[in-house]
Amino acid sequence: MPRTTIEIPEDVTAETDRLELHVEGPEGSVGRRLWYPGVSVTVSDGEVVIESDADDAETMSTLGTFESHVRNMFHGVREEWEYRMQIHYAHFPMQVTVEGDEVVIENFLGERAPRRTEVRGDTEVEVSEEEIVLRGPDKEAVGQTAGAIEQLTRVTDKDTRVFQDGVYIVEKPEKGGA
């Protein structure tokens, strides 16, 4: 019977509610549904226990995936995940602002209509002159927000060697979390 245990850090609390694992720490909280047939995730004695009755390859890989998710959750609620993006333009100065829960890019390649995308989860977005910094406890929400901003300024109908305007991810968090 395969079983993986992950010790809960001192300043973090974790609890399960049916199929959901909720983790809370000094930098915020993250909840995630961890479900796969025959795999159970429980919290006991200061540890998150991931176990299964089956030991086939697919179930074993799911155990490893769940372990990575839990470790990423622990890292996020203790230290936050951070992405750095660079704003690059050649001729038309683009303005990037945050309005409520949206990132708005105005004057991209001289366009009159602003481009918008939502900020996912508890992600904080800081915009300075040429840089955007995204931080948050949920690795997926921060990464999806960064990817959405990058895709918002994607140029499809022009030569990308010439038109290099856009917002690009220049620094991602390292793999492995801790």
Side-chain angles (χ1 to χ4, degrees):
M1 182 162 131
R3 177 185 170 114
T4 305
T5 60
I6 305 151
E7 190 175 323
I8 300 172
E10 287 181 18
D11 52 348
V12 174
T13 60
E15 59 183 35
T16 53
D17 178 25
R18 296 186 190 202
L19 304 173
E20 294 270 338
L21 175 66
H22 297 281
V23 176
E24 198 168 324
E27 297 297 331
S29 64
V30 180
R32 185 178 185 98
R33 184 172 187 214
L34 298 174
W35 180 85
Y36 188 79
V39 176
S40 69
V41 179
T42 57
V43 176
S44 63
D45 300 328
E47 293 180 327
V48 175
V49 180
I50 306 166
E51 57 189 345
S52 173
D53 295 332
D55 62 351
D56 59 290
E58 199 170 326
T59 303
M60 295 303 290
S61 66
T62 302
L63 290 178
T65 301
F66 283 5
E67 180 182 2
S68 294
H69 287 319
V70 172
R71 290 189 191 283
N72 287 339
M73 291 167 78
F74 287 161
H75 177 82
V77 298
R78 292 173 69 207
E79 300 175 35
E80 288 192 316
W81 295 100
E82 181 177 285
Y83 277 72
R84 292 188 176 276
M85 305 183 79
Q86 186 175 13
I87 301 168
H88 185 271
Y89 56 86
H91 185 267
F92 295 105
M94 88 176 89
Q95 289 87 37
V96 181
T97 56
V98 179
E99 295 177 4
D101 62 346
E102 281 189 326
V103 174
V104 181
I105 299 176
E106 296 176 294
N107 202 35
F108 177 67
L109 295 177
E111 294 175 346
R112 293 187 184 271
R115 295 183 177 204
R116 300 172 178 272
T117 188
E118 74 171 285
V119 177
R120 289 161 176 81
D122 294 335
T123 306
E124 297 172 21
V125 181
E126 295 174 21
V127 180
S128 63
E129 297 208 5
E130 301 293 318
E131 188 177 58
I132 302 173
V133 179
L134 298 102
R135 286 189 193 89
D138 187 351
K139 183 178 187 177
E140 289 189 11
V142 177
Q144 286 293 320
T145 302
I149 293 170
E150 190 173 59
Q151 287 297 306
L152 201 60
T153 59
R154 198 164 149 239
V155 179
T156 56
D157 56 341
K158 295 179 173 56
D159 186 350
T160 54
R161 295 170 296 179
V162 177
F163 293 91
Q164 295 182 353
D165 295 26
V167 180
Y168 299 102
I169 297 172
V170 292
E171 189 179 316
K172 292 181 180 183
E174 291 192 21
K175 289 185 180 179

